[in-house]
Amino acid sequence: MDEKRHILEIRYDSLKYGSTQTGNSYEDIVVQCIQWLKNKLGIELFNCDHTDTINKLKDENDNTVKIYKQMMVLSSGGAAELTAAQGRDYLLPFIGELRELINENKDLFDKDPDIKQLLEQYLDDKEETADYPYIYVSWEQPVASQNYIVKITFDYLQYRYTTLQHLTGTCKDLGMERMNNAIEYLCKSGSFTKGAKI
């Protein structure tokens, strides 16, 4: 429990291969912990509202934190997992590349503002109406071996919870510092805010 930020985290390791547990074990861990906190301790809990997470991360001026990958489910039913090219400032394919094309050819597009507006409106609509089940956020450090990526899964467990998963680097030298830093950043940036009561 982080009293300063009023955040409750349920942390658990991945299950070992050959585990004898049955059912959806990760979901069971989360549900049991929440039920125990509410029923036994009488703690009032609220969801983590992540509505603005992607926009906040894109708008943030911190060059060390980037959206590295995102799953995008379009309103048309199509879906794609977009992975940024690391050598190109973490530009996501398709939508990011089209926006870059417009910016790089500003003089040409300024000659016909209707076409520019049409393309930008199309891209805005695609992004606004898409669903993003998960994103990967990269934290770049001065020493490359200390870089790490955290996967954020939205609306986990029947659209109720947000999960974070540390994916890269070894935490042995830093304890849980990387996840602590990631959570602190997401809270301070306004990516995570207080949501509806559980």
Side-chain angles (χ1 to χ4, degrees):
M1 290 187 188
D2 185 334
E3 292 181 46
K4 185 174 138 189
R5 282 183 286 278
H6 305 286
I7 294 283
L8 166 72
E9 303 168 48
I10 301 170
R11 293 192 180 197
Y12 50 87
D13 291 330
S14 59
L15 297 174
K16 305 293 182 221
Y17 178 75
S19 171
T20 58
Q21 293 188 3
T22 59
N24 253 331
S25 299
Y26 293 120
E27 293 180 10
D28 293 343
I29 290 169
V30 174
V31 170
Q32 287 171 10
C33 284
I34 288 171
Q35 286 175 349
W36 185 81
L37 289 164
K38 286 174 66 178
N39 299 335
K40 297 288 185 187
L41 300 182
I43 296 176
E44 195 172 64
L45 300 173
F46 296 83
N47 279 330
C48 171
D49 186 347
H50 53 73
T51 308
D52 290 331
T53 300
I54 292 173
N55 290 333
K56 291 285 185 185
L57 290 171
K58 285 181 180 176
D59 293 342
E60 196 67 23
N61 290 326
D62 188 343
N63 291 328
T64 63
V65 181
K66 304 278 187 185
I67 294 179
Y68 169 69
K69 187 185 290 189
Q70 68 185 22
M71 178 58 142
M72 192 173 184
V73 180
L74 302 174
S75 58
S76 62
E81 185 179 81
L82 308 178
T83 303
Q86 287 185 334
R88 298 185 62 202
D89 194 30
Y90 287 87
L91 183 70
L92 290 166
F94 311 120
I95 288 178
E97 289 174 344
L98 284 173
R99 288 194 190 280
E100 187 178 61
L101 178 72
I102 292 168
N103 289 336
E104 288 176 351
N105 296 285
K106 186 179 182 319
D107 294 339
L108 185 62
F109 280 101
D110 285 346
K111 290 178 184 175
D112 198 335
D114 289 339
I115 290 177
K116 180 180 179 184
Q117 183 180 359
L118 179 70
L119 280 172
E120 288 178 335
Q121 184 63 49
Y122 174 80
L123 295 173
D124 289 343
D125 288 347
K126 288 295 174 195
E127 286 186 311
E128 287 295 319
T129 59
D131 183 31
Y132 300 92
Y134 60 82
I135 61 173
Y136 289 66
V137 182
S138 173
W139 272 263
E140 300 294 307
Q141 305 300 315
V143 178
S145 63
Q146 294 178 354
N147 293 350
Y148 59 97
I149 294 173
V150 173
K151 179 182 180 183
I152 304 172
T153 303
F154 304 116
D155 302 324
Y156 176 72
L157 189 52
Q158 299 171 352
Y159 306 102
R160 291 185 288 177
Y161 309 115
T162 302
T163 63
L164 281 75
Q165 180 182 5
H166 182 269
L167 294 177
T168 59
T170 63
C171 287
K172 291 177 184 172
D173 56 335
L174 296 169
M176 295 185 288
E177 186 178 342
R178 292 177 178 175
M179 277 305 259
N180 292 341
N181 291 343
I183 291 166
E184 182 176 0
Y185 181 90
L186 293 164
C187 291
K188 280 186 174 178
S189 69
S191 299
F192 288 174
T193 58
K194 183 178 177 180
K197 186 175 177 179
I198 296 176

